[in-house]
Amino acid sequence: MPGGFAGLLSNIGRAVGGVVGALYQAGRDAINSVIRNILPFMAFISVIIGIINATGLGHVIAVGLTALSGNVLGLVILSIICAIPVLSPILGPGAVIAQIIGTLIGTQIAAGNVRPIMALPALYGIDAQVGCDFIPVGLSLGEAEAETVEIGVPAVLFSRMVTGPTAVVIGWIASAGMFPK
């Protein structure tokens, strides 16, 4: 091993080469992971969003559910509907229900037809499906075993049926007294 200045340059070159090699491999792994896991899911979600938008199904459901937005019990029911394990992964990507009901509730609050105290519980009520569409991708990025996916996805979906209505009630309690009558 040469000493002096040549040895120093050799050590620096080896260290830089090691860092560059590690970064290059990390980039290759990231691209491979995106191609294997994320792009197929994005294509699937794009098809689902296209079907929801083309058929108008999301709009029909949202307009039908808007009647539930005026009181806490209705918002709890709305959060349960949005968190139904079969619906929530489909509703999440397009967020059609959350967009439409959120806009309608906002305009009703602005018009004075719905009390402002309902804003926070309404947010939790319409967003009970948030994250349910990403569970399979998250598990695949973590390279979960097939059995983990089979158990993990339904577990999270069913947990949203509990945490969604609970969040509505907590939001309603937290909003109490914020807005005078």
Side-chain angles (χ1 to χ4, degrees):
M1 182 132 193
F5 187 68
L8 176 66
L9 287 179
S10 176
N11 288 337
I12 291 173
R14 249 181 281 181
V16 169
V19 169
V20 169
L23 293 175
Y24 179 73
Q25 186 60 40
R28 287 178 61 185
D29 291 346
I31 296 296
N32 191 22
S33 181
V34 166
I35 290 171
R36 271 193 350 245
N37 300 320
I38 296 175
L39 290 179
F41 183 73
M42 289 174 67
F44 167 72
I45 294 305
S46 296
V47 169
I48 295 295
I49 291 172
I51 291 170
I52 289 170
N53 289 338
T55 61
L57 179 63
H59 183 73
V60 169
I61 293 171
V63 171
L65 293 176
T66 303
L68 297 173
S69 63
N71 59 60
V72 175
L73 181 60
L75 289 172
V76 168
I77 293 169
L78 177 66
S79 71
I80 291 171
I81 292 170
C82 287
I84 292 174
V86 175
L87 288 179
S88 55
I90 294 171
L91 299 177
V96 176
I97 287 181
Q99 292 173 22
I100 294 172
I101 294 179
T103 302
L104 294 174
I105 290 173
T107 56
Q108 292 300 311
I109 290 172
N113 299 331
V114 174
R115 293 187 51 216
I117 195 172
M118 300 307 291
L120 187 60
L123 171 69
Y124 294 137
I126 62 178
D127 283 339
Q129 84 285 351
V130 170
C132 291
D133 56 326
F134 195 73
I135 296 165
V137 172
L139 289 172
S140 67
L141 285 174
E143 297 178 3
E145 307 262 336
E147 296 83 18
T148 304
V149 174
E150 289 174 9
I151 295 169
V153 171
V156 172
L157 293 178
F158 280 109
S159 74
R160 296 299 286 165
M161 287 194 74
V162 174
T163 59
T166 305
V168 170
V169 173
I170 291 171
W172 180 65
I173 292 169
S175 297
M178 289 179 77
F179 302 97
K181 287 188 175 190

